[in-house]
Amino acid sequence: MTELRLHDTMAREKRVFAPADPKRVTMYVCGPTVYNRAHIGNARPAVVFDVLARLLRHVYGEDSLVYARNITDVDDRIIEAARVESVEPSVITERFERFYLEDMGALGVAPPDIAPHATEHVAPMVEMIERLIALGNAYEADGHVLFHVPSDPGYGALGRRDREAMIAGARVEVASYKKDPADFVLWKPSPEGVIGWESPWGRGRPGWHIECSAMIRAHLGETIDIHGGGLDLIFPHHENEIAQSRCAHDGSPLARYWVHNGFLSMAGAEKMSKSLGNVVTVGELLLQGHKGEVLRFALLSAHYRQPLEWSGSLIAQSKATLDRLYRFVGDSDVAAADPGVLEALADDLNTPLALSRLSALDDPASLRASAALMGLLTESSAAWFQGEGDARVDALVAARAEAKKARDFDEADRIRAELAAEGIVLEDGPEGTSWRRG
Ligand SMILES: [Zn+2]
């Protein structure tokens, strides 16, 4: 069996990966909060952990992995978006979950085995909070329930920050009802008209961190093999997940390996973030005519732990390489994957090395099989070159339908005009919209 090595954030080093039960490898990755379109930085963990999932299935067997990625569908940003549109929060969350799955699907990201939703797991969250209170790790104050950080001597092991840095970094509200400034919210009250559930502490809603702890316990068990997410989640989110779960589970660790991907930045800018206004969404990139597989290739061009600088030239290089590979593989069969490519991936998911070894292969059938390990070269060569342009029109037609549905008729008209200028005629019918080159 291929020996896999993963960098474990907790151990600060690469470790040989040995699952507790090779027949049931468990992996949990923190998923999206569904209130807006995913930007390309959000897509990085989805693609990275999709490759890791493919590798684990390749090594341990197709049915050996249980991969869960949650959907955060209760959150203050969702509540605010729903208020602005005067709709129920579920209207917002269903819309943006659908967009997320479409966008990730376009990048070749397979859906996880389990996609637990926070709103469907409030009962196990309440149960875990009750247990933490009974054990003296949490307390009720002013309608809130807070986790008492000083009650957990192991707190902070993942990020290894000192206490002052943690308090400053979490930007926690220093509320009068807190026993300690580092204490974080497990449950908070919901006023009339805001989404909420009955609980022993009155009508309210869960804090963010508790959902992952409760859903991991419900679906995967007390200790999982791999917990993943972006570097930005180490503190406070993962630190808090660890504290809640370990305290509720008699000291059992939450995860045996902690895997974190690095940031994505825009060329010439700092970290991509909405507040800096330097965000490009996956949907926008697809609308610009870039193929999902090109974006996927670009995301895998740097090692997952390293920062990745996103730029037009990175996309162009990725497209040129894929064109060359598709020309080379032609209509070849799929043979066994190349051991050198597999070895690179098994060494802490070294995708840049795997891609360079891939490019050097001289057997088309082996190249196709090796690329499949990373979810690449999934189309036939004919489809790859023939579809040029059509995918963009399909994406624009779909965007126009969404705009009409959201009653944004200006945007719908703008898209129709853009396509008309290229000689593309849209025909609206009862089955939806079809298009032809006029
Ligand atoms: Zn989480």
Side-chain angles (χ1 to χ4, degrees):
M1 189 178 279
T2 310
E3 185 179 89
L4 235 166
R5 276 177 298 162
L6 288 174
H7 184 274
D8 175 13
T9 308
M10 187 71 89
R12 295 289 186 284
E13 63 181 11
K14 249 195 270 187
R15 294 170 55 209
V16 171
F17 177 68
D21 175 4
K23 292 194 187 65
R24 187 175 183 272
V25 181
T26 49
M27 176 160 82
Y28 182 95
V29 174
C30 297
T33 301
V34 279
Y35 72 104
N36 62 5
R37 292 296 291 266
H39 61 65
I40 189 68
N42 301 139
R44 194 176 190 195
V47 169
V48 163
F49 289 100
D50 182 70
V51 173
L52 181 53
R54 283 167 198 265
L55 183 64
L56 290 166
R57 291 187 209 282
H58 180 84
V59 172
Y60 293 97
E62 209 43 52
D63 301 323
S64 61
L65 174 69
V66 191
Y67 173 22
R69 187 185 66 205
N70 67 309
I71 296 285
T72 298
D73 58 354
V74 54
D75 178 272
D76 288 352
R77 290 164 296 180
I78 294 168
I79 293 168
E80 175 58 15
R83 192 191 61 76
V84 167
E85 284 192 33
S86 305
V87 294
E88 291 297 314
S90 61
V91 174
I92 302 291
T93 57
E94 283 165 21
R95 182 195 306 156
F96 288 106
E97 179 177 358
R98 199 174 62 241
F99 274 132
Y100 183 79
L101 293 176
E102 283 172 11
D103 290 344
M104 295 310 121
L107 300 182
V109 175
D113 301 296
I114 307 171
H117 289 62
T119 54
E120 290 163 14
H121 293 79
V122 174
M125 290 187 228
V126 167
E127 227 169 84
M128 190 176 267
I129 295 169
E130 284 183 302
R131 184 164 167 75
L132 289 168
I133 294 174
L135 290 166
N137 296 110
Y139 60 95
E140 188 186 355
D142 205 17
H144 295 68
V145 180
L146 293 127
F147 185 93
H148 190 40
V149 169
S151 76
D152 175 18
Y155 189 87
L158 186 69
R160 294 192 202 170
R161 300 185 188 203
D162 66 40
R163 192 182 138 78
E164 296 314 312
M166 284 196 286
I167 291 168
R171 283 180 235 110
V172 284
E173 196 191 340
V174 184
S176 57
Y177 51 81
K178 283 185 182 180
K179 287 186 185 170
D180 186 279
D183 293 353
F184 59 89
V185 169
L186 300 173
W187 188 266
K188 56 184 164 186
S190 284
E192 198 59 48
V194 171
I195 187 170
W197 291 262
E198 292 307 326
S199 82
W201 320 287
R203 191 172 165 282
R205 59 190 192 277
W208 172 36
H209 315 298
I210 192 72
E211 77 177 63
C212 290
S213 286
M215 296 196 292
I216 289 171
R217 171 72 186 77
H219 291 280
L220 301 177
E222 291 187 357
T223 302
I224 58 173
D225 290 311
I226 299 170
H227 194 315
L231 213 54
D232 51 332
L233 295 184
I234 293 177
F235 182 79
H237 185 53
H238 288 165
E239 211 77 77
N240 292 354
E241 281 187 33
I242 290 170
Q244 295 161 164
S245 293
R246 193 160 27 76
C247 291
H249 299 147
D250 304 318
S252 301
L254 175 55
R256 302 172 61 246
Y257 297 81
W258 285 88
V259 179
H260 291 101
N261 66 274
F263 290 123
L264 183 147
S265 62
M266 297 302 274
E270 294 289 298
K271 177 193 164 195
M272 180 189 277
S273 84
K274 209 177 170 196
S275 55
L276 294 171
N278 58 343
V279 165
V280 57
T281 66
V282 175
E284 284 162 352
L285 289 163
L286 294 171
L287 275 176
Q288 287 164 16
H290 301 301
K291 290 187 177 191
E293 195 174 323
V294 169
L295 305 178
R296 182 183 180 94
F297 189 102
L299 287 169
L300 296 175
S301 64
H303 188 266
Y304 78 90
R305 296 180 54 219
Q306 298 301 316
L308 172 63
E309 192 175 334
W310 191 258
S311 67
S313 68
L314 173 66
I315 302 175
Q317 280 167 25
S318 302
K319 165 93 166 54
T321 307
L322 276 172
D323 282 348
R324 187 170 56 70
L325 293 175
Y326 267 110
R327 260 192 293 277
F328 179 71
V329 295
D331 293 326
S332 67
D333 294 333
V334 179
D338 174 69
V341 173
L342 182 58
E343 186 195 18
L345 292 174
D347 184 14
D348 196 29
L349 229 54
N350 191 339
T351 53
L353 182 60
L355 290 174
S356 80
R357 287 184 177 171
L358 193 71
S359 286
L361 292 179
D362 51 16
D363 171 15
S366 166
L367 200 158
R368 214 179 245 288
S370 309
L373 290 172
M374 288 174 274
L376 296 169
L377 301 188
T378 53
E379 290 188 38
S380 74
S381 290
W384 178 261
F385 291 109
Q386 209 168 49
E388 299 269 80
D390 289 6
R392 177 177 156 272
V393 177
D394 288 341
L396 278 166
V397 169
R400 176 172 167 267
E402 288 293 341
K404 280 169 74 178
K405 211 157 148 193
R407 310 192 66 78
D408 185 353
F409 297 112
D410 288 349
E411 173 67 2
D413 290 345
R414 190 196 62 74
I415 293 171
R416 177 188 274 278
E418 179 182 335
L419 289 169
E422 297 170 26
I424 289 160
V425 182
L426 302 184
E427 278 157 6
D428 292 321
E431 303 289 300
T433 303
S434 60
W435 63 270
R436 60 184 167 78
R437 296 186 198 279

